[in-house]
Amino acid sequence: MTVTLSVDFKFSASHRLPVYVGKCNRLHGHNYRLRVRVRGAVDPITGMVADFHDIESQMHPLLERVDHHHLNELVENPTAENVVVWMWEQLVIPGLVSLELWET
């Protein structure tokens, strides 16, 4: 049996969308919610697909780079979609199947 496990994280950051025509072209900020999903078989000994602590440990350096920072310094055109692509490229989490990002 395959199980999907989700872990949510929060961070705040500023950005501007340089190719967008409209108010998002100006510097502004958001609170973000990021959902990390991993999928795999339940280990018969541990009873887990992944240890929450291991996922949090992997996420910590990434969140340190984005929380209360300017996303344009990391991603040229930091739309939510491009930020997720950039994050995916930074992560090495076994069983990672998706990242979801909300601007709140």
Side-chain angles (χ1 to χ4, degrees):
M1 173 186 234
T2 300
V3 175
T4 302
L5 184 69
S6 299
V7 187
D8 287 353
F9 299 91
K10 294 180 181 178
F11 66 95
S12 299
S14 65
H15 73 150
R16 63 177 291 276
L17 302 181
V19 298
Y20 184 80
V21 177
K23 66 181 182 177
C24 292
N25 181 269
R26 296 189 302 268
L27 179 63
H28 63 285
H30 298 283
N31 293 314
Y32 291 90
R33 186 176 72 179
L34 175 67
R35 177 165 292 156
V36 176
R37 285 199 170 119
V38 296
R39 182 176 298 143
V42 176
D43 183 290
I45 296 170
T46 65
M48 297 183 219
V49 170
D51 187 323
F52 283 114
H53 177 74
D54 292 344
I55 296 170
E56 291 167 0
S57 294
Q58 290 291 324
M59 289 301 299
H60 182 76
L62 177 66
L63 294 172
E64 285 289 314
R65 291 183 70 187
V66 296
D67 190 37
H68 286 81
H69 286 276
H70 186 56
L71 297 177
N72 293 76
E73 295 173 359
L74 302 169
V75 179
E76 185 176 329
N77 182 28
T79 62
E81 296 86 347
N82 286 338
V83 171
V84 167
V85 169
W86 176 83
M87 289 178 161
W88 186 279
E89 293 170 349
Q90 310 304 307
L91 294 172
V92 180
I93 298 176
L96 181 64
V97 292
S98 70
L99 298 176
E100 294 180 54
L101 185 64
W102 289 265
E103 293 180 349
T104 63

